[in-house]
Amino acid sequence: MDTARLAALVAATLTTGLMAGLFFAFDVSVMPALKRSDDRTLISVMQRVNTSIINGWFMLAFLGALLFTALALALHLPAGEHAAVPPLSGALLAYVLALAVTGRVNIPLNNALEAAGPAERIADPAAVRRAFETKWVPANRWRTALCTAALGCQSWALWASAAHSL
């Protein structure tokens, strides 16, 4: 297999795996832990998470998953390795849908939570929490499922590419 195709596919798989793992960690640990906390704690912690997560490592995985998957697909199209094209197309679609959920649901909810101001000054923290948590948690589950599906498709593409090279 061509080195560039393999490198792009491995990078796509790794970055998508990181994103699937991040979203999964929120589903199975962070949000269940915060569910057991008081309203102001959830608001304060999520405000801090939303601020601290925007960093170079996160952006490398978040945008890298999209860019590396698109690059892997583009490199496989003319190479005659068509066995990897369907799963890479599926991976790209699933990740784009995860980005759409992020952009249409999670980011606006994160922004609304930030706009609510410091948790200790919010007049009705239960209402702010409810408006955030009841939509953010299910949307994150969708992101987890979509990124996991993309990861599965990329794993299939790796297998198909390796099988083609034998």
Side-chain angles (χ1 to χ4, degrees), residues 43-117:
I43 292 166
S44 178
V45 167
M46 288 306 296
Q47 285 175 334
R48 289 183 194 145
V49 166
N50 293 334
T51 301
S52 65
I53 201 165
I54 306 302
N55 62 64
W57 290 111
F58 171 78
M59 295 308 290
L60 175 65
F62 185 70
L63 297 176
L66 175 67
L67 298 174
F68 290 132
T69 302
L71 178 61
L73 178 58
L75 291 173
H76 278 82
L77 283 171
E81 285 193 36
H82 297 295
V85 170
L88 283 172
S89 298
L92 187 58
L93 175 62
Y95 196 75
V96 166
L97 290 172
L99 291 178
V101 171
T102 300
R104 293 184 140 262
V105 182
N106 296 91
I107 290 174
L109 289 170
N110 293 345
N111 292 341
L113 197 63
E114 186 63 33

Side-chain angles (χ1 to χ4, degrees), residues 10 13 15-16 23-24 48 50 53-54 56 67 69-70 77 85 90 95 100-101 121 125 127 134 139 156 162 164-165:
V10 168
T13 305
T15 52
T16 301
F23 296 144
F24 180 71
R48 289 183 194 145
N50 293 334
I53 201 165
I54 306 302
L67 298 174
T69 302
L77 283 171
V85 170
Y95 196 75
V101 171
R121 294 188 192 150
T134 59
W156 174 15
H164 183 268
S165 296

